[in-house]
Amino acid sequence: MYRIALGIEYDGATFSGWQAQSSPQLETVQENLEAALSRIAAHPIKTICAGRTDAGVHAMNQVVHFDSPVNRGEKAWSTGVNSLLPPSIRVTWARDVDNDFHARFSATARNYKYLVYSQKTERPMLWKRALRVPQKLNIPAMNEAAAHIIGEHDFSAFRAAGCQSKSPYRCVINANWTRRGAFVIFNIKANAFLLHMVRNIVGSFLDVGK
């Protein structure tokens, strides 16, 4: 049995998140990727990712791994798989890894960037890619608030009701806001995240900024 790791990138605007769902009406990134991999392998493939993304969330360098009884080679696992994927999902690299590698448990951290823009009129090109906030935001105040979540804390107040994680504790390594013209970017790095944790934190910090 061979273990392969992939780096994938996707525009999640039209997907119901990463994880495969029981409802056929909900299209997911995982289902599309596994279908393409299974065709290349000529064998059912199941994937494990470093961190599941929610509906509408995009990803860059999302790491996944899978086991296969055959090894088609790096080109087949990337170029070949891409030819079977929708244009919104792409494998950017493929590598053979040791059997003790695990996309989720070997990961040391995950990084989110949340994009906000301060303009009165909505920008069509930013639809489902950035959040519009018409008010002027106080970035120093938002960074002061962000400093309080750095470290290991109980993030129960920021998790969604449907979160299935056994522990509400997460360790935030870095959290900060930066302004670039009309854009305000929230960057947060942690060992892991709870369901809807980042978007709930962002919403709270935007209240501070307003």
Side-chain angles (χ1 to χ4, degrees), residues 17-37:
W18 158 265
Q19 189 172 11
Q21 305 289 327
S22 57
S23 173
Q25 284 76 36
L26 299 177
E27 186 178 7
T28 66
V29 178
Q30 185 178 21
E31 289 171 312
N32 278 273
L33 180 61
E34 289 181 350
L37 288 168

Side-chain angles (χ1 to χ4, degrees), residues 89-110:
I89 306 173
R90 281 294 177 266
V91 176
T92 56
W93 53 262
R95 296 172 190 165
D96 298 338
V97 292
D98 295 334
N99 287 334
D100 60 352
F101 174 85
H102 194 284
R104 179 183 176 190
F105 298 123
S106 297
T108 58
R110 285 87 173 167

